[in-house]
Amino acid sequence: MADKEIDRVSGTETTGHEWDGLKELNTPLPRWWLWTFYATIVWAVFYWILMPSWPLVNDYARGIRGQSQRAIVMEQVAALKDMRARTGAALADASLQDIQADPGLLDFAMANGRAAFGDNCAPCHGAGGGGAVGYPNLVDDSWLWGGDPDAIHQTILYGIRSAHEETRFGDMPAFGRDELLDSGQIRSAANYVRSLSGLDTEAGADLAGGEAVYLDNCAVCHGDDGKGMQEVGAPNLTDGIWLYGSDLDTVVHRIRVGGGGVMPPWVDRLDPVTIKSLAVYVHSLGGG
Ligand code: HEC
Ligand code: HEC
């Protein structure tokens, strides 16, 4: 190792390190850098004194300010709970119409309803309420059982064809399985039903016969004009919106097996405020 010396070109002292004839200059740190460095040390000392910083054996140094992020969060959570409890109590007392008329309550109910929908309803009705085969679309303003807030509330409370005694019910007869109609009549009726929403019919389909079958067997529930009946959950067959699909085979199958989808009741599983919030939220999706 060579000795320290003064470099002739820069006039700076070298460190004495040398590799293959290259010598390392011992250039002093810039002043501003040094002062910043000292300042951070001073800052750190004050910080240790003021704030919780050092771990101790069983605890930690709390600092003179005794600040605790945990305590701050707990306070905020308590304040939020308090606010929720107050709004929740207001919601519990309000009617669905009152909630819709009050922007503060409405906001709260919508947020609450949206979250509860994601947790409980989306598996069947889809994340945005778009539905699937057999699970109704809730955003299209076409309702099997009624789309005003009270009707929706009732549906959510007690379900549809559920085990609850207040459930909504109304089953379509199994016209084929129970031999109420023969397969020719079913096919004609299916063609007639498709014609109600402007879909094409099979070549040679007996539409007049289908209409007669319809008026005798189906109109009690689906209406003379095919517009459906919400008291028994019979869908409108003229609006081009299908719960199970519009192709001829699907319609024939539906007439053969009848029945109806089951929606669970929520009255025993969710609290009243959540159910109200859900009714308001679902109504906002496609209420009419
Ligand atoms: C297990 C699946 C399932 C779950 C979960 C479910 N539903 Fe349903 N829901 C159905 C089915 C099936 C129907 C249609 C029943 C029928 O054919 O009439 C339905 C119908 C409805 C209707 C009536 C639609 C109309 O056109 O009148 C509403 C409103 C509704 N559900 C809301 C909800 C809400 C809100 C939740 C969550 C709390 C929920 N559903 C959870 C299966 C489900
Ligand atoms: C007792 C009442 C009742 C009678 C009678 C009835 N239906 Fe229905 N129908 C329903 C109900 C309720 C549904 C809905 C089933 C569900 O929600 O899962 C339905 C559903 C349908 C569907 C499926 C609609 C869709 O959107 O996918 C078709 C098609 C249909 N009915 C045709 C007929 C025809 C044709 C007849 C006569 C041969 C008939 N129905 C008689 C109550 C009835």
Side-chain angles (χ1 to χ4, degrees):
M1 189 191 276
D3 291 333
K4 295 183 183 185
E5 58 185 89
I6 301 296
D7 173 55
R8 262 180 287 123
V9 180
S10 58
T12 310
E13 191 185 35
T14 67
T15 60
H17 301 159
E18 180 179 344
W19 296 270
D20 298 338
L22 292 177
K23 294 179 182 168
E24 184 184 28
L25 291 182
N26 189 7
T27 311
L29 287 164
R31 272 282 137 112
W32 66 264
W33 193 97
L34 270 181
W35 283 116
T36 312
F37 181 59
Y38 296 142
T40 59
I41 293 173
V42 173
W43 162 256
V45 170
F46 276 111
Y47 196 87
W48 293 339
I49 296 168
L50 286 175
M51 305 293 279
S53 48
W54 289 102
L56 304 176
V57 180
N58 292 320
D59 198 10
Y60 60 91
R62 289 172 188 274
I64 357 188
R65 292 198 55 209
Q67 185 169 320
S68 153
Q69 289 297 337
R70 193 183 164 77
I72 294 174
V73 170
M74 306 282 275
E75 252 168 48
Q76 287 170 343
V77 168
L80 193 68
K81 277 208 182 124
D82 186 49
M83 194 269 279
R84 288 225 175 116
R86 268 181 287 125
T87 322
L91 271 191
D93 294 340
S95 73
L96 295 169
Q97 287 68 23
D98 295 342
I99 296 172
Q100 286 177 320
D102 179 325
L105 287 183
L106 183 60
D107 268 3
F108 182 79
M110 285 290 289
N112 205 13
R114 187 178 295 113
F117 191 89
D119 289 348
N120 300 288
C121 324
C124 289
H125 289 287
V133 174
Y135 300 100
N137 181 319
L138 302 176
V139 303
D140 60 3
D141 199 13
S142 154
W143 298 90
L144 297 164
W145 300 96
D148 64 75
D150 291 311
I152 296 173
H153 190 230
Q154 170 89 1
T155 302
I156 302 173
L157 278 173
Y158 305 118
I160 300 164
R161 303 181 186 96
S162 74
H164 197 281
E165 57 183 12
E166 309 237 9
T167 185
R168 294 188 177 285
F169 62 92
D171 273 6
M172 169 150 152
F175 289 97
R177 211 174 49 208
D178 294 346
E179 295 175 7
L180 302 171
L181 297 173
D182 66 38
S183 54
Q185 288 172 309
I186 291 179
R187 209 155 185 96
S188 312
N191 272 295
Y192 174 72
V193 163
R194 278 172 48 89
S195 77
L196 289 176
S197 55
L199 296 169
D200 20 300
T201 49
E202 280 180 302
D206 178 10
L207 287 183
E211 179 171 11
V213 171
Y214 179 88
L215 291 174
D216 284 349
N217 298 278
C218 323
V220 269
C221 293
H222 292 284
D224 284 348
D225 55 3
K227 294 242 160 66
M229 195 179 292
Q230 295 183 341
E231 291 74 31
V232 294
N236 183 341
L237 299 172
T238 67
D239 60 4
I241 295 172
W242 299 86
L243 187 55
Y244 295 99
S246 66
D247 61 287
L248 189 62
D249 287 346
T250 304
V251 176
V252 166
H253 179 73
R254 186 56 37 201
I255 302 172
R256 286 180 46 74
V257 304
V262 175
M263 144 107 171
W266 296 91
V267 61
D268 298 324
R269 294 168 65 182
L270 299 174
D271 63 84
V273 167
T274 304
I275 294 184
K276 270 190 195 175
S277 303
L278 277 164
V280 169
Y281 173 71
V282 170
H283 179 258
S284 80
L285 292 177

